[in-house]
Amino acid sequence: MAGRVLGKALAAVSLSVALASVAVRSSGCRGIPALSESNFSPKFNEKDGHVERKSQNGLYEIENGRPRNPAGRTGLVGRGLLGRWGPNHAADPIITRWKRDSSGNKIIHPVSGKHILQFVAIKRKDCGEWAIPGGMVDPGEKISATLKREFGEEALNSLQKTSAEKREIEEKLHKLFSQDHLVIYKGYVDDPRNTDNAWMETEAVNYHDETGEIMDNLTLEAGDDAGKVRWVDINDKLKLYASHSQFIKLVAEKRDAHWSEDSEPDCHGL
């Protein structure tokens, strides 16, 4: 319930900002031109220079020169708080490890009988909700690079490190991000910033530190858009930003880890 209330509040803020900034956007505020400007002709549904305007869900409609949200109307028109018309691509790195006791043994949940999985979560500065430490894909950037960069910036505060510290972090992250991984989800996501003409899409990828040795040698430190960062036990009680709880549930299922204390979650009316 709290998430839905917050979503509506953010949507209201999005509408206020969008309406208040119409005149400002027409003058090219922050370098983002309005669609009405003669020198701005984005190529929707294709690669537009270094900007990816293709959707991971296929072709989307263009109506009166504006891209149309493939999920339907939101009640908000224009670009709102998002940086681009049409799809806005993000990447969400889900870093996991097994929860262990002081002797290094994996901990088993007493009810489900499955091992408990943990993931690195950040507390967003903009809305105060806990989330996966992800972010937007820069123009021309590969998704794999975005995943590693965003994790370093938000969960390790790499932007504030010295050159030597950055090299050390990069070496350790390279080992983690070079191993086998699971693509958990690719496509449109329900996000409070979505409008009728701009929406979020993401690629959520799970990188698992099976032994815990890699992450044990990295100190979590919140940075960039993150106010806090910590390891969080994965279970069905999690309340996370936007669609992040759904991604985490998929990770638990694919890793055969604990999720719920309900042994028969799909049985109703019993």
Side-chain angles (χ1 to χ4, degrees):
M1 177 62 73
R4 289 197 296 272
V5 172
L6 179 58
K8 290 180 179 178
L10 283 174
V13 172
S14 298
L15 179 59
S16 298
V17 173
L19 292 176
S21 62
V22 170
V24 178
R25 285 206 307 273
S26 65
S27 63
C29 178
R30 297 183 181 178
I32 302 175
L35 281 177
S36 59
E37 292 190 17
S38 59
N39 62 343
F40 181 54
S41 300
K43 299 176 182 178
F44 295 119
N45 282 309
E46 61 181 281
K47 188 72 173 289
D48 187 7
H50 291 298
V51 178
E52 182 58 83
R53 299 192 190 277
K54 290 188 294 185
S55 169
Q56 293 174 324
N57 293 92
L59 295 176
Y60 50 89
E61 295 181 16
I62 308 300
E63 188 175 82
N64 298 322
R66 293 187 174 192
R68 187 173 177 180
N69 189 321
R73 296 183 63 83
T74 64
L76 299 174
V77 297
R79 184 171 50 79
L81 294 177
L82 292 175
R84 304 189 191 286
W85 297 89
N88 287 254
H89 296 285
D92 292 312
I94 305 172
I95 309 303
T96 56
R97 70 179 184 185
W98 297 112
K99 187 175 185 179
R100 299 176 184 272
D101 59 23
S102 57
S103 299
N105 300 311
K106 292 190 288 187
I107 296 177
I108 296 177
H109 193 275
V111 176
S112 68
K114 294 186 175 183
H115 292 113
I116 298 175
L117 199 62
Q118 297 180 312
F119 83 104
V120 176
I122 57 119
K123 189 172 186 180
R124 294 173 61 110
K125 288 181 179 178
D126 56 358
C127 63
E129 288 189 276
W130 286 91
I132 298 166
M136 307 307 296
V137 180
D138 289 340
E141 186 177 41
K142 292 183 178 180
I143 292 289
S144 57
T146 306
L147 290 162
K148 184 164 60 174
R149 173 177 58 77
E150 285 292 339
F151 184 75
E153 292 175 0
E154 296 191 347
L156 303 174
N157 197 22
S158 61
L159 292 176
Q160 301 302 318
K161 301 300 183 182
T162 64
S163 297
E165 290 172 329
K166 287 180 180 178
R167 284 195 297 271
E168 183 178 357
I169 289 175
E170 172 63 29
E171 290 175 2
K172 293 175 180 177
L173 286 183
H174 177 73
K175 184 176 181 180
L176 176 65
F177 282 79
S178 296
Q179 63 183 8
D180 290 340
H181 54 271
L182 296 175
V183 176
I184 301 301
Y185 179 83
K186 290 175 65 174
Y188 181 97
V189 288
D190 187 16
D191 189 285
R193 296 167 294 181
N194 289 348
T195 72
D196 290 357
N197 311 111
W199 59 92
M200 287 294 302
E201 297 188 10
T202 196
E203 182 167 331
V205 183
N206 174 219
Y207 295 90
H208 181 64
D209 186 4
E210 178 64 28
T211 64
E213 295 178 358
I214 299 176
M215 291 307 300
D216 282 349
N217 292 317
L218 284 168
T219 302
L220 297 182
E221 181 181 346
D224 198 25
D225 299 326
K228 296 180 180 179
V229 61
R230 70 183 187 194
W231 286 100
V232 174
D233 291 356
I234 291 179
N235 57 64
D236 63 349
K237 304 297 190 297
L238 289 174
K239 304 296 181 183
L240 303 175
Y241 177 79
S243 303
H244 291 191
S245 292
Q246 299 171 31
F247 301 157
I248 296 301
K249 180 181 180 181
L250 290 173
V251 171
E253 292 175 350
K254 290 180 179 295
R255 297 290 178 187
D256 194 26
H258 167 71
W259 173 251
S260 173
E261 294 185 9
D262 186 351
S263 60
E264 294 180 315
D266 295 325
C267 295
H268 302 288
L270 298 180

